[in-house]
């Protein structure tokens, strides 16, 4: 399992795609970060914050907005990362190597998933350097930061699990990417209908972003964490079954 | 089933929808056997191999590898397997050495033994000069060798190779055949191919599969026995009447082909050649040609696979001569190539 994960990470890092994603992520997020910090430091905002009794601190303002952005950008980028996971193995006919090796289906899927997750953690680690740089001139609410980080990791895990599942369905990375993109966008947009109609509570509950927001606000609720864990587990199990049924079809 | 039976396949069937690709196949492979798996395209060779390696689930039937049931205990069974699919399963973006290390890990070689295993396999498969190159940039032959290396890196008890010598040059083919033969001493090898000479050169067991069914399962010596002559081609300057020829002990039938050529059919266990020569000398028939017609492997293959599941060994004489001529031509050609390859190899070594 770990071997597959390590190979996955290595092959990701040897592709230009991963590096360009890393670069683009860094660029967009740092622009966003710089803008928010600038906003936070503007005299009129500062004076208004000073007058309010429950004013949001720098962690609330800067970090939450940064993570929220990261979530949205990664939602767009995730299909590109997940598309090749299984479908490329299928296309290059390398899947028999894994299937005939003494590794279980669970091992293959988990290896793929963990490999991708470690790459996503690298991205996050790079991005985390920006809020940490604020420590030079102030102090952060680490609890809040940790909640936001956890939320992001969980969100990414859920997105990656969906992408992985869709990648097991097809032999064409492009098809996998487009379908994943559609599904992720839909899961994001489900939320919007929830805002307009009060009774569509189920849809709001299903939305990926909705659960993310609460964690970004620094509220650690078991419900949200379990939501993401269930989400990941569901799609990983589906992927395992899908790969298994490949042999039977 | 004794402990030396490494692969045992029972009543194996596989359906793709309604299409039956493999139909009730049963066979066993013992330690030290090199089994050649022959069949025309679409006969079910690859499907059978995929099922034995666990990459495809059988519709019905049981497969046991090294004593472990493949469906009930897949991990120990797969640990004893090495598999080279039709297309080598290589990651194009990896270095050869990286890839081999990955495969070694994947096949549970203990960490301290990996370097030596990788070095050994690089040596064995002749990959020394390309270890630091990207697999995607290698030629087809080298990619194929990397694929073979991957299949045998963990010294599995059962090695399954799906057309291993495809895309290789004659020297490489020789080396790979030698490699397979050396593997066959301790392990069992199942080899699918449609190159008949390869079976003759490498294997000690032959199976022919056609339309999903086993039509032949024999040792190579048994097969050679089948290839024994049943016909003699005789040329006589001053031929006696046909009935005189027919009276020679061992002769079943005689056909006159033209004025001085005859074709004599005889049972496999009673060759009348000797008696014929004696009579020819005594009667001053002017014997100038005596050719035993050999059924080649190719011919047996054609017989078994074209005549629908019906092992009918008799066929029209004309077709027979034609086929044996062409196969003889093939045979001599093959010898030439091997000799050339040998010379070239010797020259390279000097």
């Amino acid at each position: 399992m770990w071997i597959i994960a390590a190979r996955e990470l290595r092959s990701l890092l040897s592709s230009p795609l991963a590096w360009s994603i890393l670069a683009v992520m860094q660029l967009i997020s740092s622009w966003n970060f710089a803008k928010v910090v600038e906003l936070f430091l503007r005299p009129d905002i500062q004076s208004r914050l000073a007058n309010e009794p429950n004013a949001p601190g720098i962690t609330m303002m800067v970090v939450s907005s940064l993570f929220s952005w990261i979530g949205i950008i990664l939602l767009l980028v995730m299909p590109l990362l997940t598309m090749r996971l299984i479908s490329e193995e299928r296309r290059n006919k390398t899947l028999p190597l894994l299937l005939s090796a003494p590794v279980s289906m669970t091992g293959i899927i988990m290896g793929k998933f963990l490999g991708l997750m470690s790459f996503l953690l690298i991205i996050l680690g790079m991005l985390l350097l920006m809020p940490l740089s604020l420590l030079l001139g102030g102090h952060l609410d680490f609890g809040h930061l940790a909640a936001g980080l956890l939320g992001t990791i969980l969100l990414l895990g859920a997105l990656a699990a969906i992408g992985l599942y869709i990648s097991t369905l097809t032999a064409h990375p492009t098809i996998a990417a487009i379908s994943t993109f559609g599904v992720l966008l839909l899961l994001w947009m489900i939320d919007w209908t929830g805002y307009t109609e009060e009774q569509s509570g189920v849809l709001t509950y299903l939305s990926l972003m909705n659960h993310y927001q609460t964690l970004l606000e620094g509220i650690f609720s078991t419900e949200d964490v379990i939501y993401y864990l269930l989400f990941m587990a569901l799609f990983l199990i589906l992927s395992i079954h899908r790969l298994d049924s490949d042999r039977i079809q | 089933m004794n402990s030396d039976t490494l692969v045992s396949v029972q009543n194996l069937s596989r359906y793709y929808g309604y299409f039956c690709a493999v139909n009730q196949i049963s066979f066993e492979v013992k330690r030290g056997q090199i089994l050649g798996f022959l069949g025309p395209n679409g006969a079910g060779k690859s499907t059978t191999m995929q099922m034995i390696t666990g990459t495809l689930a059988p519709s019905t039937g049981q497969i046991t590898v090294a004593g472990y049931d493949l469906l009930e205990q897949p991990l120990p069974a797969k640990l004893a397997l090495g598999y080279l699919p039709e297309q080598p399963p290589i990651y194009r973006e990896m270095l050869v050495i990286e890839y081999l290390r990955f495969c070694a890990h994947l096949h549970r070689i203990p960490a301290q033994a990996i370097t030596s295993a990788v070095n050994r396999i690089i040596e064995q498969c002749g990959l020394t000069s390309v270890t630091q190159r990207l697999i995607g940039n290698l030629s087809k032959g080298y990619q194929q060798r990397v694929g073979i290396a991957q299949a045998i890196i963990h010294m599995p008890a059962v090695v399954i190779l799906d057309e291993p010598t495809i895309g290789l040059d004659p020297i490489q083919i020789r080396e790979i055949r030698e490699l397979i033969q050396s593997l066959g001493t301790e392990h069992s090898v199942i080899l699918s191919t449609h190159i008949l000479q390869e079976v003759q050169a490498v294997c000690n067991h032959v199976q022919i599969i056609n339309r999903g069914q086993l039509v032949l399962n024999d040792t190579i010596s048994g097969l050679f026995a089948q290839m024994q002559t049943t016909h003699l081609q005789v040329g006589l300057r001053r031929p006696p009447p046909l009935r005189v020829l027919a009276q020679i002990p061992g002769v079943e039938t005689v056909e006159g082909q033209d004025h001085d050529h005859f074709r004599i059919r005889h049972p496999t266990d009673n060759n009348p050649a000797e008696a014929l020569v004696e009579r020819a000398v005594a009667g001053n028939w002017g014997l100038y040609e005596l050719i035993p017609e050999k059924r080649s492997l190719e011919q047996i293959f054609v017989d078994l696979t074209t005549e629908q599941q019906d092992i009918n060994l008799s066929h029209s004489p004309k077709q027979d001569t034609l086929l044996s001529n062409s196969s003889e031509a093939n045979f001599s050609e093959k010898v030439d190539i091997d000799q050339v390859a040998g010379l070239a190899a010797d020259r390279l070594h000097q």
Side-chain angles (χ1 to χ4, degrees):
Chain A
M1 186 167 98
W2 295 109
I3 308 145
I4 296 178
R7 199 211 70 80
E8 196 56 43
L9 181 62
R10 191 183 294 176
S11 92
L12 257 176
L13 291 182
S14 68
S15 73
L17 177 76
W19 290 101
S20 52
I21 287 176
L22 211 55
V24 168
M25 285 292 300
Q26 201 73 15
L27 191 72
I28 296 180
S29 311
S30 51
W31 177 255
N32 174 261
F33 177 70
K35 278 289 164 197
V36 176
V37 171
E38 195 194 356
L39 184 75
F40 184 75
L41 292 179
R42 256 166 52 186
D44 54 324
I45 300 284
Q46 275 296 322
S47 60
R48 210 191 308 162
L49 285 176
N51 292 333
E52 263 182 60
N54 260 333
I58 189 160
T59 321
M60 186 72 178
M61 255 192 91
V62 177
V63 176
S64 297
S65 115
L66 179 69
F67 276 140
S68 164
W69 261 103
I70 292 173
I72 290 167
I73 300 169
L74 273 176
L75 187 140
L76 302 177
V77 163
M78 191 62 79
L80 298 175
L81 289 169
T82 58
M83 66 177 184
R84 16 167 318 285
L85 284 176
I86 302 286
S87 57
E88 198 167 75
E89 299 254 356
R90 225 183 242 147
R91 204 190 171 102
N92 292 343
K93 313 266 180 201
T94 47
L95 210 50
L97 176 69
L98 300 180
L99 293 181
S100 68
V103 193
S104 62
M105 290 291 170
T106 319
I108 296 174
I109 293 291
M110 286 310 287
K112 290 277 173 190
F113 182 68
L114 291 174
L116 180 62
M117 280 313 282
S118 38
F119 177 70
L120 292 172
L121 287 182
I122 293 177
I123 296 187
L124 267 187
M126 301 277 291
L127 298 177
L128 198 61
L129 291 177
M130 286 187 287
L132 286 182
S133 70
L134 291 177
L135 282 175
L136 292 175
H139 62 90
L140 291 173
D141 178 350
F142 280 104
H144 193 161
L145 188 65
L149 192 62
L150 178 74
T152 315
I153 292 173
L154 288 172
L155 174 73
L156 293 184
L159 298 180
I162 299 175
L164 176 61
Y165 173 61
I166 292 175
S167 180
T168 60
L169 297 177
T170 165
H172 294 274
T174 345
I175 297 177
I178 291 172
S179 327
T180 311
F181 183 67
V183 171
L184 295 186
L185 210 58
L186 189 72
L187 279 172
W188 183 35
M189 285 180 1
I190 275 182
D191 201 23
W192 295 357
T193 59
Y195 279 126
T196 50
E197 294 165 44
E198 279 302 311
Q199 64 267 49
S200 53
V202 184
L203 291 182
T204 318
Y205 183 78
L206 279 179
S207 166
L208 279 169
M209 287 298 169
N210 191 34
H211 295 268
Y212 186 41
Q213 284 307 329
T214 51
L215 280 164
L216 286 191
E217 283 157 19
I219 304 160
F220 180 91
S221 90
T222 338
E223 189 198 334
D224 296 327
V225 174
I226 288 178
Y227 165 83
Y228 281 119
L229 291 180
L230 280 179
F231 207 100
M232 271 184 256
L234 171 70
F235 279 98
L236 289 177
I237 290 170
L238 279 177
S239 312
I240 293 166
H241 274 268
R242 170 64 211 172
L243 203 58
D244 211 24
S245 66
D246 232 27
R247 303 188 309 147
I248 300 159
Q249 42 166 280
Chain B
M1 193 176 77
N2 61 36
S3 62
D4 265 3
T5 303
L6 288 179
V7 179
S8 147
V9 171
Q10 262 139 34
N11 301 325
L12 192 66
S13 295
R14 168 77 207 197
Y15 292 87
Y16 291 110
Y18 290 112
F19 176 70
C20 179
V22 172
N23 188 7
Q24 296 286 324
I25 282 186
S26 300
F27 62 89
E28 282 190 352
V29 185
K30 294 193 167 53
R31 189 178 294 277
Q33 280 189 358
I34 304 179
L35 173 71
F37 216 54
L38 283 171
N41 293 337
K45 294 184 303 261
S46 291
T47 305
T48 310
M49 296 189 129
Q50 283 174 357
M51 285 192 283
I52 299 174
T53 55
T55 51
L56 201 66
S59 303
T60 61
Q62 198 189 17
I63 302 166
T64 315
V65 179
Y68 299 103
D69 189 298
L70 191 62
L71 294 178
E72 278 159 26
Q73 295 169 287
L75 295 194
K78 285 178 181 175
L79 206 52
L81 271 175
Y83 176 42
L84 170 71
E86 255 172 312
Q87 286 186 25
I90 42 174
Y91 293 102
R92 304 177 61 81
E93 74 277 9
M94 287 175 100
L95 298 179
V96 171
I97 190 142
E98 269 179 355
Y99 175 72
L100 291 176
R101 292 190 73 90
F102 166 66
C103 293
H105 276 292
L106 202 60
H107 287 112
R108 309 261 173 95
I109 297 180
Q112 65 272 21
I114 282 180
T115 308
S116 65
V118 168
N119 289 340
R120 177 180 49 77
I121 208 73
I122 285 172
E123 180 81 16
Q124 250 181 342
C125 296
L127 294 168
T128 322
S129 56
V130 295
T131 50
Q132 295 300 327
R133 287 180 58 184
L134 284 179
I135 296 180
N137 294 345
L138 294 180
S139 71
K140 175 86 181 77
Y142 271 112
Q143 291 184 350
Q144 188 72 18
R145 288 208 225 181
V146 173
I148 295 172
Q150 161 275 127
I152 58 179
I153 190 166
H154 52 301
M155 282 288 142
V158 181
V159 184
I160 295 179
L161 306 170
D162 205 342
E163 303 189 352
T165 53
I166 218 162
L168 299 180
D169 67 44
I171 302 173
Q172 292 174 332
I173 290 179
R174 265 171 78 98
E175 287 170 3
I176 293 303
R177 284 182 185 168
E178 277 165 20
L179 186 65
I180 292 171
Q181 272 171 332
S182 69
L183 282 173
T185 53
E186 284 170 55
H187 314 270
S188 1
V189 182
I190 303 180
L191 177 95
S192 98
T193 179
H194 47 237
I195 306 167
L196 300 166
Q197 286 82 20
E198 191 155 288
V199 173
Q200 278 177 320
V202 177
C203 303
N204 49 30
H205 270 70
V206 185
Q207 279 184 0
I208 298 182
I209 185 172
N210 188 32
R211 300 176 191 220
Q213 286 183 320
L214 271 186
V215 289
L216 181 115
N217 185 0
D218 208 343
T219 60
I220 200 94
S221 49
L223 194 71
F224 274 126
Q226 273 212 41
M227 287 161 61
Q228 279 314 307
T229 63
T230 53
H231 286 88
L232 287 174
Q233 188 89 30
V234 185
L236 300 171
R237 296 253 184 258
R238 293 171 291 279
L242 276 186
R243 56 181 171 76
V244 178
L245 284 177
Q247 277 161 7
I248 297 173
V251 174
E252 277 178 356
T253 55
V254 183
E255 298 158 26
Q257 286 178 317
D258 52 41
H259 173 63
D260 49 0
H261 280 92
F262 300 89
R263 195 158 177 277
I264 293 176
R265 191 183 135 107
H266 63 82
T268 42
D269 52 347
N270 187 5
N271 193 329
E274 215 178 318
L276 181 79
V277 173
E278 280 172 15
R279 293 288 297 274
V281 174
N284 192 22
W285 295 342
L287 175 73
Y288 69 95
E289 203 178 285
L290 181 66
I291 306 168
E293 273 177 20
K294 250 194 152 110
R295 273 159 55 83
S296 66
L297 182 56
E298 184 175 324
Q299 200 176 323
I300 294 175
F301 179 77
V302 170
D303 288 346
L304 288 174
T305 51
T306 50
E307 285 167 32
Q308 201 174 344
Q309 273 114 42
D310 171 9
I311 309 176
N312 184 3
L313 297 182
S314 63
H315 28 60
S316 73
K318 197 138 203 177
Q319 192 194 6
D320 198 356
T321 351
L322 208 91
L323 278 170
S324 72
N325 281 344
S326 70
S327 60
E328 265 165 24
N330 271 343
F331 207 76
S332 60
E333 197 175 275
K334 173 236 167 195
V335 170
D336 282 352
I337 289 176
D338 268 8
Q339 279 170 347
V340 171
L343 281 177
D346 289 344
R347 218 165 274 171
L348 278 179
H349 282 303
Q350 280 169 4

